[in-house]
């Protein structure tokens, strides 16, 4: 099995069985849940990202919505990668993912783990917005809460 086939399998798996899918409900005292809505009008992707913070650490994250296979898989992979991390680590991951998606000569580093599966998306520039929608929506939820993001 070559690397492209492995990446394709990871994306298909996360599209068929997205991880952390569904609404995140508040949990007792101090259980504030922030959320943001994202929309990619070019593809029709719509999602909501929910986050629960514990100080600077992302304690829990979930998403819901509908979209293309890349959008759904990217959101699923993102939630697995960022859960439990602090804001600085999340920002570094976003920067790495964005670089891999937008620079054809960028090699996915080991720190990306399964997120490296998204690197094949850069061969289809119109689909990069599908792969980054969840990340932009996460950033809006972390920064502002109850925000709306559009990738127009």
């Amino acid at each position: 099995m070559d690397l492209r086939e492995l990446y394709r399998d990871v994306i298909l798996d996360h599209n068929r069985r997205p991880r952390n899918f569904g609404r995140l409900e508040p949990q007792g005292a101090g259980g504030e849940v922030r959320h943001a809505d994202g929309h990619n009008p070019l593809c029709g992707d719509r999602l909501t990202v929910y986050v629960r913070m514990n100080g600077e650490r992302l304690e829990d994250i979930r998403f819901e919505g509908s979209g293309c296979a890349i959008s759904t898989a990217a959101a699923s992979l993102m939630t697995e990668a960022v859960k439990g991390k602090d804001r600085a680590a999340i920002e570094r991951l976003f920067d790495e993912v964005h670089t891999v998606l937008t620079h054809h000569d960028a090699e996915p580093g080991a720190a990306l783990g399964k997120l490296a599966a998204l690197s094949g998306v850069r061969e289809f520039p119109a689909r990069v917005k599908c792969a980054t929608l969840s990340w932009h929506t996460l950033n809006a939820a972390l920064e502002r809460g109850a925000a709306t993001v559009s990738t127009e």
Side-chain angles (χ1 to χ4, degrees), residues 16-82:
R16 289 183 189 126
R17 290 184 303 283
R19 281 50 156 197
N20 301 303
F21 188 82
R23 173 170 242 140
L24 183 62
E25 299 297 336
Q27 227 180 21
E32 177 195 9
V33 174
R34 296 180 181 184
H35 73 279
D37 299 313
H39 179 226
N40 175 2
L42 296 175
C43 193
D45 305 323
R46 288 189 176 276
L47 63 90
T48 301
V49 173
Y50 301 92
V51 297
R52 181 182 301 120
M53 299 298 292
N54 183 354
E56 288 293 302
R57 188 176 64 81
L58 195 152
E59 187 172 274
D60 204 0
I61 181 169
R62 296 184 64 84
F63 77 101
E64 63 182 2
S66 61
C68 69
I70 292 170
S71 175
T72 301
S76 175
L77 287 160
M78 178 197 70
T79 63
E80 283 192 325
V82 301

Side-chain angles (χ1 to χ4, degrees), residues 16 21 25 31 60 73-74 83 88 91-92 101 103 105 107 122 129 142 147 151:
R16 289 183 189 126
F21 188 82
E25 299 297 336
D60 204 0
K83 191 182 285 189
E91 188 174 319
R92 284 191 301 274
L101 286 170
H103 295 87
D105 58 345
E107 290 294 323
R122 67 183 169 204
K129 290 182 178 185
L142 291 174
T151 60

Side-chain angles (χ1 to χ4, degrees), residues 93-140:
L93 266 178
F94 171 77
D95 290 342
E96 282 190 59
V97 168
H98 191 263
T99 297
V100 164
L101 286 170
T102 58
H103 295 87
H104 285 279
D105 58 345
E107 290 294 323
L112 286 182
K114 288 182 184 179
L115 289 169
L118 299 173
S119 65
V121 173
R122 67 183 169 204
E123 302 302 321
F124 310 95
R127 306 304 292 232
V128 169
K129 290 182 178 185
C130 302
T132 59
L133 177 63
S134 59
W135 289 91
H136 291 295
T137 307
L138 169 61
N139 285 339

